[in-house]
Amino acid sequence: MNTYLALLVTFLALCGSVSAGNTAQVSAQSLETIELDMPDIGSWNLSTGENIKNTSFAARGNVDFDIYAREDGGDGKMQSGSKAMTNAIKIETTNFLKTLSGADQQIAGTISVGSHSWPMRFFLLLYKQTLTYNDPAGSYSMVITYTGQKHV
């Protein structure tokens, strides 16, 4: 059984504005800025069993920050009309494996700026979706929101 998936990546900008493309920029009054460059993974054909989509993303900022992800539907499951997949999608980065839900899940620990201005950091990002025989064939989608938050 093959199932088609399109993930739409969005960004949440705290106290700032979203710039063009897949880059979100977060600015506060003190000119603290966090920039996330997330991949547009497009379509993904799924087969029964575990499916893995290998991507990466870049992040930088002028303050120490953490990165979070959440699935905007609230249950972490891809939807096709009124149908939902049996299993929630998982995101894996270097030190984190998180099952997505509607709550923010930390996917990258404190990214320390140190004495450097705007150091670009690159991260491996794996999407993991298990497809069962109970999941009807169809075109599924979901929206994942990534957030960069100043580390406190």
Side-chain angles (χ1 to χ4, degrees), residues 83-144:
K83 302 178 287 187
M85 287 199 160
T86 304
N87 297 298
I89 196 164
K90 295 179 181 178
I91 288 184
E92 183 174 357
T93 57
T94 304
N95 295 315
F96 294 88
L97 174 60
K98 300 292 182 162
T99 300
L100 288 186
S101 68
D104 282 336
Q105 305 278 337
Q106 187 174 12
I107 64 164
T110 303
I111 298 158
S112 180
V113 175
S115 62
H116 305 288
S117 179
W118 283 101
M120 185 63 77
R121 304 277 170 52
F122 297 92
F123 299 87
L124 176 65
L125 177 64
L126 302 176
Y127 294 97
K128 296 183 173 187
Q129 178 64 58
T130 301
L131 187 66
T132 70
Y133 287 105
N134 295 326
D135 292 318
S139 179
Y140 288 79
S141 64
M142 71 181 341
V143 176
I144 300 173

Side-chain angles (χ1 to χ4, degrees), residues 26 41 49 138 142 151:
V26 180
I41 70 164
M142 71 181 341
H151 182 76

